[in-house]
Amino acid sequence: MGEIVLIRRAELLDRAAALAVVASAFGREDEARLVERMWAAKAIEFEIVAAANEKIVGYCACSAVTIDPPVEFRVLGLAPLAVTPARQKQGVGSALVERMLEDVRRAGAGAVVLLGHPRYYPRFKFVPAATKNVRWDVRDAKEAFQMIEFAAVFDGRPRVVSYHPALGGL
Ligand SMILES: CC(C)(COP(=O)(O)OP(=O)(O)OC[C@H]1O[C@@H](n2cnc3c(N)ncnc32)[C@H](O)[C@@H]1OP(=O)(O)O)[C@@H](O)C(=O)NCCC(=O)NCCS
Protein backbone atom coordinates (compact mmCIF):
# COMPACT_ATOMS: atom_id res chain seq x y z
CA MET A 1 0.00 0.00 0.00
CA GLY A 2 1.16 3.47 -0.81
CA GLU A 3 3.98 2.06 -2.87
CA ILE A 4 5.36 4.47 -5.42
CA VAL A 5 4.95 3.43 -9.02
CA LEU A 6 7.58 4.96 -11.26
CA ILE A 7 7.06 5.42 -14.99
CA ARG A 8 10.31 5.38 -16.96
CA ARG A 9 11.81 4.56 -20.33
CA ALA A 10 12.17 0.82 -20.92
CA GLU A 11 15.68 -0.57 -21.03
CA LEU A 12 17.05 -3.76 -22.55
CA LEU A 13 17.28 -5.30 -19.09
CA ASP A 14 13.50 -4.83 -18.65
CA ARG A 15 12.60 -7.01 -21.60
CA ALA A 16 11.98 -10.36 -19.91
CA ALA A 17 9.88 -8.75 -17.18
CA ALA A 18 7.98 -6.66 -19.74
CA LEU A 19 7.06 -9.79 -21.70
CA ALA A 20 5.84 -11.45 -18.51
CA VAL A 21 3.66 -8.44 -17.72
CA VAL A 22 2.18 -8.39 -21.22
CA ALA A 23 1.42 -12.14 -21.17
CA SER A 24 -0.14 -11.99 -17.71
CA ALA A 25 -2.24 -8.92 -18.54
CA PHE A 26 -3.72 -10.46 -21.67
CA GLY A 27 -3.85 -14.00 -20.24
CA ARG A 28 -2.20 -15.41 -23.34
CA GLU A 29 1.07 -15.24 -25.25
CA ASP A 30 -0.02 -13.56 -28.50
CA GLU A 31 0.70 -9.99 -27.43
CA ALA A 32 4.06 -10.94 -25.90
CA ARG A 33 5.05 -12.54 -29.22
CA LEU A 34 3.91 -9.35 -30.91
CA VAL A 35 6.25 -7.32 -28.71
CA GLU A 36 9.12 -9.69 -29.56
CA ARG A 37 8.41 -9.22 -33.28
CA MET A 38 8.35 -5.46 -32.77
CA TRP A 39 11.74 -5.58 -31.03
CA ALA A 40 13.20 -7.80 -33.75
CA ALA A 41 11.96 -5.42 -36.45
CA LYS A 42 13.10 -2.36 -34.46
CA ALA A 43 9.56 -1.10 -34.90
CA ILE A 44 9.22 0.50 -31.49
CA GLU A 45 9.89 4.21 -31.21
CA PHE A 46 8.74 4.86 -27.65
CA GLU A 47 8.71 2.28 -24.91
CA ILE A 48 7.99 2.81 -21.22
CA VAL A 49 7.49 0.68 -18.15
CA ALA A 50 5.84 1.11 -14.78
CA ALA A 51 8.01 -0.09 -11.90
CA ALA A 52 7.00 -0.67 -8.28
CA ASN A 53 9.95 -1.39 -6.01
CA GLU A 54 11.97 -2.00 -9.17
CA LYS A 55 9.57 -4.70 -10.26
CA ILE A 56 8.00 -4.13 -13.67
CA VAL A 57 4.20 -3.99 -13.37
CA GLY A 58 3.22 -2.20 -16.58
CA TYR A 59 4.37 -1.78 -20.16
CA CYS A 60 3.45 0.49 -23.08
CA ALA A 61 4.91 0.94 -26.57
CA CYS A 62 4.38 3.16 -29.58
CA SER A 63 5.45 2.46 -33.16
CA ALA A 64 5.20 4.50 -36.34
CA VAL A 65 2.16 3.98 -38.56
CA THR A 66 1.79 4.89 -42.21
CA ILE A 67 -1.11 6.94 -43.47
CA ASP A 68 -2.54 6.74 -46.98
CA PRO A 69 -2.78 9.31 -48.45
CA PRO A 70 0.09 10.72 -46.36
CA VAL A 71 -0.23 13.50 -43.81
CA GLU A 72 2.34 16.11 -42.91
CA PHE A 73 2.75 14.89 -39.35
CA ARG A 74 4.35 11.93 -37.70
CA VAL A 75 1.64 9.59 -36.44
CA LEU A 76 2.21 6.78 -33.94
CA GLY A 77 0.28 3.66 -33.00
CA LEU A 78 0.02 2.84 -29.31
CA ALA A 79 0.26 -0.92 -28.69
CA PRO A 80 0.37 -2.76 -26.48
CA LEU A 81 -0.68 -1.32 -23.14
CA ALA A 82 -0.55 -3.83 -20.32
CA VAL A 83 -0.68 -3.80 -16.53
CA THR A 84 -0.08 -6.92 -14.49
CA PRO A 85 -3.45 -8.18 -13.12
CA ALA A 86 -2.62 -7.63 -9.43
CA ARG A 87 -1.89 -3.97 -10.21
CA GLN A 88 -4.86 -3.16 -12.41
CA LYS A 89 -7.42 -0.49 -11.51
CA GLN A 90 -4.89 1.44 -9.45
CA GLY A 91 -4.11 4.08 -12.03
CA VAL A 92 -1.01 2.45 -13.52
CA GLY A 93 -2.52 2.13 -17.01
CA SER A 94 -3.57 5.77 -16.92
CA ALA A 95 -0.12 6.87 -15.79
CA LEU A 96 1.46 4.93 -18.66
CA VAL A 97 -0.90 6.38 -21.27
CA GLU A 98 -0.47 9.94 -19.98
CA ARG A 99 3.31 9.69 -19.92
CA MET A 100 3.36 8.13 -23.40
CA LEU A 101 1.17 10.89 -24.83
CA GLU A 102 3.38 13.52 -23.22
CA ASP A 103 6.56 11.92 -24.59
CA VAL A 104 5.33 11.52 -28.17
CA ARG A 105 3.80 14.97 -28.23
CA ARG A 106 7.02 16.50 -26.98
CA ALA A 107 8.88 14.57 -29.70
CA GLY A 108 6.72 16.30 -32.29
CA ALA A 109 4.15 13.64 -33.17
CA GLY A 110 0.90 15.02 -34.56
CA ALA A 111 -1.39 12.20 -33.53
CA VAL A 112 -1.62 8.78 -31.87
CA VAL A 113 -3.96 5.98 -32.97
CA LEU A 114 -4.84 2.78 -31.15
CA LEU A 115 -7.18 -0.17 -31.03
CA GLY A 116 -8.67 -0.36 -27.59
CA HIS A 117 -11.73 -0.43 -25.46
CA PRO A 118 -14.05 2.46 -26.46
CA ARG A 119 -14.85 3.20 -22.80
CA TYR A 120 -11.27 3.30 -21.52
CA TYR A 121 -9.52 5.76 -23.86
CA PRO A 122 -11.92 8.73 -24.03
CA ARG A 123 -10.63 9.73 -20.57
CA PHE A 124 -7.35 10.62 -22.31
CA LYS A 125 -9.31 12.50 -25.03
CA PHE A 126 -9.14 9.78 -27.65
CA VAL A 127 -12.07 9.87 -30.10
CA PRO A 128 -13.20 7.30 -32.65
CA ALA A 129 -10.92 7.74 -35.68
CA ALA A 130 -14.00 7.43 -37.89
CA THR A 131 -15.08 10.90 -36.74
CA LYS A 132 -12.22 12.21 -38.92
CA ASN A 133 -12.79 9.65 -41.68
CA VAL A 134 -9.72 7.67 -40.64
CA ARG A 135 -9.83 3.88 -40.66
CA TRP A 136 -7.59 0.89 -39.98
CA ASP A 137 -6.50 -1.03 -43.08
CA VAL A 138 -7.13 -4.52 -41.67
CA ARG A 139 -10.83 -4.37 -40.84
CA ASP A 140 -13.55 -2.06 -39.62
CA ALA A 141 -12.77 -1.88 -35.92
CA LYS A 142 -15.57 0.64 -35.39
CA GLU A 143 -15.36 2.60 -32.12
CA ALA A 144 -12.35 0.57 -31.00
CA PHE A 145 -10.09 2.33 -33.50
CA GLN A 146 -9.36 5.61 -31.79
CA MET A 147 -7.09 8.60 -32.09
CA ILE A 148 -5.90 11.72 -30.38
CA GLU A 149 -4.61 14.70 -32.33
CA PHE A 150 -2.08 17.19 -31.00
CA ALA A 151 -2.35 19.24 -34.19
CA ALA A 152 -4.71 19.47 -37.16
CA VAL A 153 -3.39 16.25 -38.72
CA PHE A 154 -6.55 14.93 -40.33
CA ASP A 155 -8.73 17.16 -42.47
CA GLY A 156 -11.70 14.83 -42.96
CA ARG A 157 -10.53 13.34 -46.25
CA PRO A 158 -10.65 9.54 -46.12
CA ARG A 159 -7.42 8.06 -44.84
CA VAL A 160 -6.23 4.56 -44.11
CA VAL A 161 -3.82 3.69 -41.30
CA SER A 162 -1.39 0.76 -41.48
CA TYR A 163 0.64 -0.40 -38.52
CA HIS A 164 4.26 -1.45 -38.98
CA PRO A 165 4.37 -4.84 -40.78
CA ALA A 166 5.79 -6.45 -37.61
CA LEU A 167 2.44 -5.78 -35.93
CA GLY A 168 0.53 -7.44 -38.76
CA GLY A 169 -3.16 -7.55 -38.00
CA LEU A 170 -2.28 -7.07 -34.29
C1 LIG B 1 -6.44 -1.93 -19.84
C2 LIG B 1 -5.40 -1.82 -18.76
C3 LIG B 1 -4.06 -1.49 -19.37
C4 LIG B 1 -5.82 -0.69 -17.82
O1 LIG B 1 -4.81 -0.54 -16.84
P1 LIG B 1 -5.21 -0.15 -15.34
O2 LIG B 1 -3.96 0.13 -14.62
O3 LIG B 1 -6.12 -1.18 -14.80
O4 LIG B 1 -6.03 1.18 -15.63
P2 LIG B 1 -6.36 2.35 -14.64
O5 LIG B 1 -6.24 1.90 -13.23
O6 LIG B 1 -5.60 3.54 -15.05
O7 LIG B 1 -7.85 2.62 -15.01
C5 LIG B 1 -8.80 1.72 -14.55
C6 LIG B 1 -10.06 2.04 -15.26
O8 LIG B 1 -10.04 1.43 -16.54
C7 LIG B 1 -11.17 0.62 -16.68
N1 LIG B 1 -10.81 -0.50 -17.54
C8 LIG B 1 -9.77 -1.33 -17.43
N2 LIG B 1 -9.80 -2.23 -18.42
C9 LIG B 1 -10.85 -1.94 -19.18
C10 LIG B 1 -11.41 -2.50 -20.33
N3 LIG B 1 -10.87 -3.57 -20.93
N4 LIG B 1 -12.49 -1.95 -20.83
C11 LIG B 1 -13.07 -0.87 -20.24
N5 LIG B 1 -12.59 -0.30 -19.15
C12 LIG B 1 -11.50 -0.83 -18.62
C13 LIG B 1 -11.51 0.20 -15.31
O9 LIG B 1 -12.84 -0.20 -15.21
C14 LIG B 1 -11.26 1.49 -14.54
O10 LIG B 1 -12.32 2.38 -14.75
P3 LIG B 1 -12.63 3.55 -13.70
O11 LIG B 1 -11.41 4.43 -13.66
O12 LIG B 1 -13.79 4.23 -14.31
O13 LIG B 1 -12.89 2.87 -12.43
C15 LIG B 1 -5.29 -3.10 -17.92
O14 LIG B 1 -6.54 -3.40 -17.37
C16 LIG B 1 -4.80 -4.30 -18.70
O15 LIG B 1 -3.59 -4.53 -18.81
N6 LIG B 1 -5.74 -5.08 -19.24
C17 LIG B 1 -5.42 -6.27 -19.97
C18 LIG B 1 -4.69 -5.97 -21.22
C19 LIG B 1 -5.47 -5.15 -22.17
O16 LIG B 1 -6.66 -5.38 -22.40
N7 LIG B 1 -4.78 -4.18 -22.80
C20 LIG B 1 -5.29 -3.44 -23.89
C21 LIG B 1 -6.24 -2.41 -23.51
S1 LIG B 1 -6.95 -1.78 -24.99
Side-chain angles (χ1 to χ4, degrees):
M1 293 292 284
E3 203 177 17
I4 291 170
V5 175
L6 176 83
I7 309 293
R8 60 166 173 79
R9 294 281 171 98
E11 295 165 11
L12 281 174
L13 280 171
D14 298 321
R15 286 190 168 187
L19 287 181
V21 164
V22 172
S24 72
F26 286 92
R28 58 180 196 180
E29 294 293 324
D30 303 43
E31 289 76 13
R33 298 290 84 79
L34 173 75
V35 171
E36 288 183 316
R37 289 202 304 276
M38 290 163 76
W39 285 333
K42 301 200 185 325
I44 297 178
E45 304 213 0
F46 298 85
E47 191 175 36
I48 56 177
V49 293
N53 273 344
E54 312 207 353
K55 185 175 159 42
I56 305 300
V57 298
Y59 176 79
C60 184
C62 262
S63 54
V65 299
T66 53
I67 314 284
D68 184 33
V71 293
E72 285 181 22
F73 294 86
R74 184 175 175 202
V75 181
L76 295 157
L78 188 155
L81 168 68
V83 175
T84 204
R87 293 289 186 149
Q88 290 177 8
K89 304 203 181 202
Q90 297 164 27
V92 177
S94 297
L96 282 165
V97 173
E98 279 160 10
R99 169 67 182 273
M100 182 61 88
L101 295 179
E102 190 185 312
D103 284 359
V104 304
R105 181 181 190 154
R106 199 172 283 165
V112 174
V113 298
L114 59 76
L115 285 149
H117 200 286
R119 282 200 304 277
Y120 185 60
Y121 293 95
R123 70 190 69 197
F124 312 109
K125 301 198 162 55
F126 279 84
V127 297
T131 59
K132 285 285 189 88
N133 225 350
V134 176
R135 64 180 182 84
W136 183 33
D137 65 345
V138 173
R139 62 179 167 77
D140 181 7
K142 303 208 162 60
E143 306 276 288
F145 190 54
Q146 301 167 61
M147 68 171 179
I148 183 168
E149 285 178 293
F150 306 126
V153 177
F154 298 108
D155 57 9
R157 286 167 60 202
R159 284 198 161 81
V160 178
V161 175
S162 305
Y163 282 90
H164 188 285
L167 283 79
L170 292 193

